[in-house]
Amino acid sequence: MPVDKTTTPPRPNLIDFHGVSMVHYFTDNWEKIQNFKARPDDILIATYPKAGTTWVSYILDLLYFSQTQPDRQTSTPLNDRVPFLEIMIPNQSSGTDLADSLDTCPRLIKTHLPVQLIPKSFWEQKCRVVYVARNAKDNAVSYFHFDRMTCVQPEPGDWNSFLQRFIDGKMVFGSWFDHVTGWWEKKHSHPKIHYMFFEDMVEDTGREINKLCSFLGLTSTTKEKDQINNLVV
């Protein structure tokens, strides 16, 4: 079926935003993002794009709410359960509005922002952060295919030109290298950051879930671990 280009919005252009390459879908709501009021029990899921965000969001939602809200995973879309803080798409609820409307405790909130652009209230409230890093090669390949299918990202072009932009850091949310190293350095001054690696999760999911639960002060049931192990990455 041909795509109706009259209803498809034009792809955005990259802009330089506080030294980071961005598109307007993630900066149009900037005042509300920076003034977002985090709560001490909020958990922030932070990643570079295409580094396991959805996987870890699902895992955390399952660990916290599967016993008290067993139908939650099938009754409510994940994007409503774990809002994307900085997103602002016309005719849709903004990420900040969705996060403010959450009635769960804790609130699970995801972001792709580099560490220097995180709203200060998350640090002031000493919130826990789960950061996931993925190796550059696989991250770049996944990002390329994602950009081919979504209209909220710039046109990816061919693989060679895309890879060069990835190497140069001319990607939405900036440089992969700056992102993963910025968060790595932050964890030394902010003890409530749990830094995970996508590859470790693939290698031994159970081991990494145990580490995550230890960080969060949770215990996981055999049923929850089976559900997590059955996820398609």
Side-chain angles (χ1 to χ4, degrees):
M1 184 175 181
V3 176
D4 182 0
K5 295 184 178 181
T6 63
T7 61
T8 303
R11 285 178 176 259
N13 295 317
L14 276 183
I15 58 174
D16 185 291
F17 189 77
H18 299 289
V20 177
S21 296
M22 295 286 271
V23 292
H24 70 89
Y25 291 115
F26 308 117
T27 62
D28 284 348
N29 197 34
W30 196 248
E31 184 174 355
K32 289 188 70 174
I33 294 167
Q34 287 301 288
N35 291 326
F36 181 76
K37 301 299 183 185
R39 302 172 186 168
D41 59 354
D42 285 346
I43 296 176
L44 187 66
I45 301 162
T47 71
Y48 192 72
K50 312 314 297 176
T53 325
T54 300
W55 191 17
V56 174
S57 295
Y58 184 92
I59 288 170
L60 285 172
D61 188 72
L62 194 65
L63 290 173
Y64 273 106
F65 304 116
S66 65
Q67 295 186 53
T68 58
Q69 302 178 41
D71 298 327
R72 177 178 168 87
Q73 277 72 38
T74 56
S75 63
T76 307
L78 185 61
N79 286 340
D80 291 339
R81 289 180 270 143
V82 186
F84 186 5
L85 181 67
E86 57 267 25
I87 198 162
M88 179 71 168
I89 294 178
N91 303 316
Q92 296 185 24
S93 297
S94 69
T96 53
D97 287 344
L98 286 172
D100 282 331
S101 68
L102 287 176
D103 59 3
T104 57
C105 184
R107 297 186 302 182
L108 304 176
I109 303 167
K110 70 180 181 182
T111 184
H112 291 320
L113 292 173
V115 68
Q116 71 272 22
L117 297 183
I118 294 295
K120 64 180 181 181
S121 63
F122 284 101
W123 310 124
E124 294 169 345
Q125 296 297 325
K126 297 180 171 59
C127 298
R128 284 170 293 183
V129 181
V130 176
Y131 185 84
V132 188
R134 188 178 191 181
N135 77 84
K137 177 178 69 69
D138 290 342
N139 208 147
V141 171
S142 182
Y143 208 165
F144 174 66
H145 290 293
F146 178 74
D147 278 9
R148 293 176 65 194
M149 60 174 258
T150 179
C151 291
V152 301
Q153 297 276 119
E155 180 64 47
D158 63 25
W159 166 246
N160 288 336
S161 61
F162 179 90
L163 181 59
Q164 188 59 56
R165 287 196 294 109
F166 186 89
I167 293 169
D168 294 339
K170 301 301 183 183
M171 307 296 298
V172 182
F173 295 103
S175 159
W176 171 90
F177 180 82
D178 290 347
H179 206 284
V180 298
T181 57
W183 278 98
W184 178 263
E185 291 167 359
K186 183 67 175 181
K187 82 182 184 70
H188 297 301
S189 61
H190 187 79
K192 290 191 175 183
I193 295 177
H194 182 64
Y195 200 105
M196 306 177 70
F197 294 94
F198 185 96
E199 293 72 30
D200 289 344
M201 288 284 292
V202 173
E203 179 185 78
D204 192 333
T205 307
R207 178 193 65 204
E208 297 307 310
I209 294 302
N210 288 338
K211 291 180 182 178
L212 180 62
C213 286
S214 177
F215 169 72
L216 298 170
L218 297 174
T219 56
S220 58
T221 66
T222 300
K223 180 181 178 181
E224 289 166 347
K225 285 185 176 179
D226 287 344
Q227 286 177 283
I228 292 168
N229 285 326
N230 289 330
L231 288 174
V232 177
V233 179

